[in-house]
C-alpha cells in the first residue's frame, strides 16, 4: 500500500521514494525479459514471411526447371525428326513443319514462345555441317510468386542438334514411292555393282524384284517396302536385304532444269562413211552462261551415225529420240544431255559410248537429265562392250531400262530413275573421284549430338 503524506503545501499525495520506484521498474523489466511464454509466437510472426517466401520461390524455381527439361525434350524430339526428314531430302519448309509438329507434341507452347530451325546449324561445333539440323526453342513463362519482384516473364530456352552420319553409298536408286517391282532384274540378267549399294523407295511388297536365273551382286540392297530376291542375289557388305528402310534422298532433287531455248539444229549428226564429226555448242544459254558452257538444241530429236565427238556443253533434245545406230562411236567430255518435250534416250545395242559430265557448276555430275514434268516415258540406255557412261543417268520421273554391257566396273556410274530395269549383263562401278557427282546416301543413322 502506498502511504499518504502531505507535502509542504499541505496537499496529501501518494508517493514512493525515487530509488524504490526505480527498483520496481527494474524488476518489471527483468520479468518481461525472462518471460518466454510468447517467444515462439513472436519469432513465427517475424519469420513466417521469410519461410513462405522461400517456399514460394523454391516451388517456382522447380517449375522453371521442369519447364526447361520439358522444353529440352521437345527440342530433342523436333531436332531428331527434322534430321530424319533432312536425310531423305525434304525442303526447308517441310523440315520446319515437322519440327514444329513434333515440338508441340513434346510440350512446346507456340503461343508463348518461338521456334527456329537452322539447316545447317548457325552456331556451335556443327556450324555449317550440311548433314546437321538444329532446333532452338524459347518460351516466356509467366511469373507466380516472384511477380512481387518483377512483372516480366521468365524466358526459358533449349537447343538440340541432330546429324545423320555413317552413310553407305548407292549407285542405283529407284524413286517410285509405290510401284510394284520398281527395281527389277528379270530372266537371265547379270548385274555386277562394284563398291556400291542398291536402293528402292517403293513401299511395295516387291520393291526389289528378281526372277528366273538372274544374278545380282551389290554391297547391300535397301528397300522402303520388301524385296523378292532369288538365290542369285549376292550381298558383299550386309547379311540380308535391308527392308523397311528409310527413304533414300534424291541427291539431284534441287537441281533446276535448264530452260529450253536457242535455235534448232539438224537432227542427224555424223556420217558412217566419213571420219569423226565434232559437235561444238555455240549458243549462250541464259541458264548457265556464267558457267562457261554453251548449248545446242535439237528440236526434233538427235540421231547419231558413225563417229561423233560432242564438245563441252549442254545438249537439249526435244520431241523425238536420242538414238545411235549399230556401229556408232560416241564420245564427249564435260557434256550433259537434257531430255524434254517427250524426247527419250533410245541408245540401242551395238553403239560404243564414252561420255562424262561437267565436274563443276549447277549440272555437275549429271550426264543424262530427264524432264521432271514428263512421267510415263521409258529410256533405254544400252551400249557396246567398251561403253562407259560416266556420271549420273538421271530420269527422276521416267523409267530406265539399262541394257547389257553398258558401263564398266572400274568407272563411275549412277542410275536414278522412277523405276529401273536391268537386262543383259551390266557392270557398274562407283569410283567417282573428280567426276563431280553427288552422293546417293543410304542407311545413314540420325543421332542427337548437341
Amino acid at each position: 500500500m502506498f502511504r499518504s503524506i502531505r507535502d509542504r503545501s499541505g496537499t496529501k499525495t501518494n508517493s514512493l521514494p525515487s530509488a524504490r520506484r526505480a527498483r520496481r521498474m527494474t524488476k518489471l523489466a527483468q520479468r518481461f525479459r525472462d518471460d518466454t511464454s510468447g517467444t515462439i509466437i513472436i519469432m513465427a510472426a517475424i519469420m513466417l514471411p521469410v519461410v513462405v517466401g522461400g517456399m514460394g520461390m523454391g516451388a517456382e524455381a522447380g517449375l522453371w526447371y521442369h519447364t526447361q527439361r520439358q522444353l529440352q525434350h521437345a527440342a530433342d524430339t523436333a531436332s531428331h525428326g527434322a534430321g530424319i526428314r533432312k536425310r531423305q531430302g525434304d525442303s526447308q519448309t517441310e523440315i520446319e513443319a515437322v519440327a514444329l509438329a513434333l515440338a508441340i507434341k513434346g510440350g512446346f507452347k507456340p503461343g508463348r514462345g518461338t521456334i527456329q530451325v537452322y539447316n545447317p546449324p548457325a552456331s556451335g561445333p556443327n556450324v555449317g555441317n550440311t548433314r546437321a539440323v538444329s532446333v532452338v526453342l524459347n518460351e516466356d513463362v509467366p511469373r507466380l510468386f516472384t511477380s512481387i519482384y518483377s512483372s516480366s516473364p521468365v524466358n526459358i530456352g533449349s537447343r538440340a542438334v541432330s546429324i545423320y552420319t555413317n552413310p553407305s553409298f548407292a549407285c542405283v536408286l529407284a524413286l517410285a514411292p509405290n510401284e510394284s517391282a520398281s527395281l527389277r532384274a528379270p530372266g537371265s540378267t547379270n548385274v555386277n555393282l562394284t563398291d556400291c549399294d542398291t536402293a528402292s523407295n517403293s513401299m511395295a511388297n516387291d520393291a526389289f524384284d528378281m526372277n528366273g536365273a538372274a544374278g545380282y551382286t551389290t554391297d547391300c540392297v535397301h528397300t522402303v517396302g520388301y524385296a523378292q530376291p532369288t538365290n542369285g542375289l549376292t550381298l558383299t557388305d550386309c547379311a540380308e536385304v535391308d527392308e523397311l528402310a528409310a527413304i533414300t534422298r534424291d541427291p539431284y532433287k534441287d537441281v533446276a532444269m535448264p530452260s529450253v531455248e536457242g535455235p534448232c539444229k539438224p537432227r542427224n549428226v555424223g556420217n558412217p562413211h566419213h571420219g569423226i564429226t565434232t559437235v561444238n555448242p555455240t549458243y549462250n544459254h541464259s541458264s548457265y552462261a556464267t558457267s562457261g558452257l554453251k548449248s545446242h538444241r535439237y528440236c526434233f530429236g538427235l540421231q547419231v551415225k558413225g563417229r561423233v565427238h560432242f564438245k563441252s556443253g549442254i545438249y537439249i533434245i526435244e520431241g523425238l529420240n536420242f538414238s545411235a545406230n549399230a556401229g556408232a562411236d560416241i564420245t564427249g567430255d564435260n557434256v550433259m544431255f537434257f531430255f524434254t518435250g517427250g524426247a527419250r534416250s533410245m541408245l540401242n545395242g551395238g553403239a560404243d559410248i564414252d561420255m562424262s559430265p561437267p565436274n563443276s557448276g549447277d549440272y555437275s555430275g549429271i550426264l543424262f537429265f530427264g524432264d521432271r514434268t514428263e512421267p510415263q516415258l521409258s529410256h533405254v540406255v544400252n551400249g557396246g562392250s567398251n561403253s562407259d557412261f560416266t556420271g549420273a543417268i538421271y530420269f527422276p520421273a521416267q523409267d530406265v531400262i539399262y541394257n547389257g554391257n553398258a558401263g564398266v566396273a572400274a568407272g563411275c556410274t549412277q542410275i536414278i530413275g522412277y523405276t529401273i530395269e536391268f537386262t543383259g549383263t551390266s557392270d557398274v562401278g562407283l569410283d567417282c573421284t573428280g567426276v563431280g557427282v553427288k552422293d546417293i546416301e543410304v542407311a545413314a543413322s540420325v543421332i542427337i549430338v548437341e
Side-chain angles (χ1 to χ4, degrees):
M1 292 286 297
F2 295 119
R3 55 198 179 111
S4 199
I5 61 173
R6 293 181 184 271
D7 60 15
R8 291 182 179 179
S9 63
T11 303
K12 187 186 289 185
T13 62
N14 292 327
S15 178
L16 286 175
S18 59
R20 183 180 296 179
R21 196 162 48 243
R23 287 195 297 271
R24 175 64 63 88
M25 294 302 297
T26 299
K27 288 181 180 181
L28 290 173
Q30 290 174 344
R31 288 177 62 188
F32 180 79
R33 182 196 64 188
D34 297 335
D35 188 354
T36 60
S37 60
T39 302
I40 294 177
I41 295 175
I42 296 171
M43 292 180 63
I46 296 172
M47 295 299 298
L48 185 59
V50 178
V51 173
V52 172
M55 292 175 63
M57 293 187 66
E60 192 165 354
L63 176 62
W64 296 339
Y65 177 78
H66 172 75
T67 302
Q68 199 282 326
R69 297 312 304 160
Q70 186 179 48
L71 205 60
Q72 186 61 56
H73 169 72
D76 290 344
T77 302
S79 172
H80 190 267
I84 291 173
R85 300 305 289 265
K86 179 179 176 68
R87 178 184 63 186
Q88 68 187 49
D90 284 6
S91 67
Q92 176 69 11
T93 300
E94 292 168 323
I95 291 173
E96 289 177 352
V98 168
L100 175 59
L102 291 175
I104 292 173
K105 287 184 177 181
F108 170 63
K109 299 176 179 61
R112 67 184 193 188
T114 60
I115 178 172
Q116 294 172 301
V117 180
Y118 295 98
N119 176 25
S123 61
N126 287 288
V127 60
N129 189 331
T130 57
R131 292 182 180 174
V133 58
S134 67
V135 174
V136 179
L137 301 178
N138 282 278
E139 275 191 22
D140 288 332
V141 180
R143 292 179 181 270
L144 301 175
F145 180 83
T146 59
S147 62
I148 64 176
Y149 305 111
S150 174
S151 60
S152 300
V154 177
N155 184 265
I156 296 177
S158 63
R159 176 179 180 269
V161 178
S162 290
I163 185 172
Y164 66 93
T165 185
N166 299 322
S168 299
F169 302 101
C171 55
V172 175
L173 170 60
L175 295 171
N178 299 299
E179 292 292 323
S180 176
S182 67
L183 202 160
R184 54 193 176 272
S188 58
T189 299
N190 187 16
V191 180
N192 181 37
L193 309 182
T194 303
D195 295 328
C196 65
D197 290 12
T198 294
S200 170
N201 283 345
S202 174
M203 298 178 63
N205 288 330
D206 56 350
F208 173 76
D209 184 67
M210 296 174 63
N211 59 63
Y216 198 105
T217 301
T218 184
D219 284 0
C220 194
V221 174
H222 309 270
T223 60
V224 175
Y226 295 91
Q228 299 294 333
T230 67
N231 291 333
L233 177 63
T234 301
L235 302 176
T236 59
D237 200 35
C238 62
E240 58 187 8
V241 175
D242 178 24
E243 297 178 321
L244 302 179
I247 292 174
T248 298
R249 179 175 59 90
D250 173 1
Y252 303 101
K253 179 180 178 180
D254 296 326
V255 177
M257 297 187 299
S259 58
V260 177
E261 58 184 76
C264 294
K265 297 295 180 180
R267 178 178 183 230
N268 294 319
V269 176
N271 189 323
H273 305 295
H274 293 82
I276 188 168
T277 299
T278 299
V279 182
N280 186 22
T282 56
Y283 181 73
N284 288 314
H285 195 286
S286 62
S287 295
Y288 41 82
T290 56
S291 68
L293 295 175
K294 297 182 178 181
S295 69
H296 257 15
R297 178 185 177 191
Y298 297 95
C299 303
F300 307 101
L302 172 63
Q303 185 173 13
V304 177
K305 302 176 181 180
R307 299 175 62 196
V308 176
H309 176 71
F310 292 94
K311 297 193 73 172
S312 174
I314 306 298
Y315 296 86
I316 300 171
I317 304 173
E318 293 180 79
L320 297 176
N321 301 333
F322 176 22
S323 60
N325 290 349
D329 187 341
I330 305 173
T331 58
D333 296 320
N334 199 34
V335 295
M336 185 187 82
F337 293 83
F338 177 64
F339 297 79
T340 189
R344 300 182 301 166
S345 167
M346 296 297 292
L347 297 175
N348 294 314
D352 282 338
I353 302 169
D354 186 356
M355 295 190 295
S356 61
N359 59 10
S360 62
D362 292 341
Y363 303 109
S364 177
I366 303 177
L367 181 62
F368 290 172
F369 190 165
D371 192 320
R372 295 190 181 95
T373 67
E374 298 180 0
Q376 300 179 340
L377 293 174
S378 293
H379 297 268
V380 176
V381 181
N382 180 28
S385 59
N386 294 321
S387 293
D388 184 3
F389 293 92
T390 298
I393 297 169
Y394 181 58
F395 295 108
Q398 295 126 21
D399 304 324
V400 177
I401 300 173
Y402 198 82
N403 281 347
N405 297 319
V408 293
C412 169
T413 306
Q414 292 178 331
I415 306 169
I416 302 175
Y418 190 74
T419 70
I420 299 172
E421 178 180 347
F422 286 98
T423 63
T425 300
S426 300
D427 293 325
V428 177
L430 199 60
D431 182 7
C432 294
T433 303
V435 174
V437 298
K438 297 182 178 180
D439 292 331
I440 305 174
E441 298 180 338
V442 293
S445 301
V446 178
I447 58 175
I448 299 173
V449 294
E450 294 183 48

